[in-house]
Amino acid sequence: MIELSDVTKTYKTGAGSFQALRGVSFRIEDGEFVAIMGPSGSGKSTLMHILGALDTPTSGKYFLNGKDVSTLCEDELVDIRLGQIGFVFQSFNLLPRATVLRNVMLPLIYKSVEKSEREARAKVSLESVGLYEEHYHHLSNQLSGGQIQRVAIARALVNDPSLILADEPTGNLDTKTSEIVLGAFQRLNQEQGRTIILITHEKDVAEHSDRIIHFKDGMVVSDTKNQKNLH
Ligand SMILES: Nc1ncnc2c1ncn2[C@@H]1O[C@H](COP(=O)(O)OP(=O)(O)OP(=O)(O)O)[C@@H](O)[C@H]1O
Ligand SMILES: [Mg+2]
């Protein structure tokens, strides 16, 4: 469960400072599928970094599964990232000279999981997004855009996170490929009960979620259930 209470984030810049989040509060229950929308510069990625324990708020509180993340030190943040969260970044390219399988195994190296187990878990993870043996040994330049995104999702899943954060995961994809990637997210949510928070500019993409939170100028301007998609 996620609880944000009056979270702000101020970036120091050469010219002074910029407040990217201006008092954000909401709760997200386990198993929700939430879309975050809003114009460029409205603070979506900033929020995602805080939710993902990649950064801490300037003020306010962030509770993740009852733990106050806003006060943790870097080592403790790393533990949370490795243990509970899977990230899918639009700009987070795969390692180009590593195969699909090695890319997906990578997060487990930091958790000192044995090689045979790393491989087994990577295969399960790839299977869950519809990628099989014939793709294991491909490099990213031998994959389609949708396949690359699915490898990125598989990599986010390999540490069995309860929370998946995805920043524009379908940003560069055509409609058909987007549907395949979004289908993978929906299955992870509906069949495996994982909490998913997905940033998108596209209304069509947000329609796949159960709840849509709109941001503007670092604040929540609306937070609504997506009636179409209630299951
Ligand atoms: N490290 C930083 N230092 C200074 N300002 C920053 C930094 N990161 C982000 N900002 C500023 O904070 C604001 C919010 O940025 P953020 O990346 O969260 O926007 P966004 O909603 O994700 O936009 P987009 O849709 O374009 O990805 C922007 O005005 C940006 O310039
Ligand atoms: Mg962004």
Side-chain angles (χ1 to χ4, degrees), residues 158-190:
V158 78
N159 62 349
D160 202 27
S162 52
L163 172 61
I164 298 167
L165 299 173
D167 198 344
E168 295 278 1
T170 59
N172 296 314
L173 303 178
D174 60 75
T175 311
K176 183 161 165 269
T177 315
S178 288
E179 286 297 325
I180 294 171
V181 169
L182 288 166
F185 280 115
Q186 276 180 317
R187 273 194 302 283
L188 291 165
N189 175 248
Q190 289 168 17

Side-chain angles (χ1 to χ4, degrees), residues 16-82:
S17 61
F18 181 83
Q19 200 174 15
L21 294 178
R22 301 192 292 151
V24 174
S25 304
F26 57 67
R27 268 171 79 107
I28 294 176
E29 305 297 333
D30 289 343
E32 277 195 85
F33 185 168
V34 180
I36 310 259
M37 299 192 77
S40 182
S42 58
K44 304 181 300 296
S45 295
T46 301
L47 174 79
M48 190 70 100
H49 291 149
I50 289 173
L51 292 176
L54 291 164
D55 204 351
T56 49
T58 306
S59 68
K61 295 267 176 224
Y62 169 28
F63 291 94
L64 177 63
N65 299 327
K67 196 164 191 160
D68 185 356
V69 181
S70 36
T71 59
L72 300 182
C73 68
E74 185 53 30
D75 282 354
E76 294 168 312
L77 293 175
V78 169
D79 283 345
I80 292 200
R81 293 201 289 270
L82 292 179

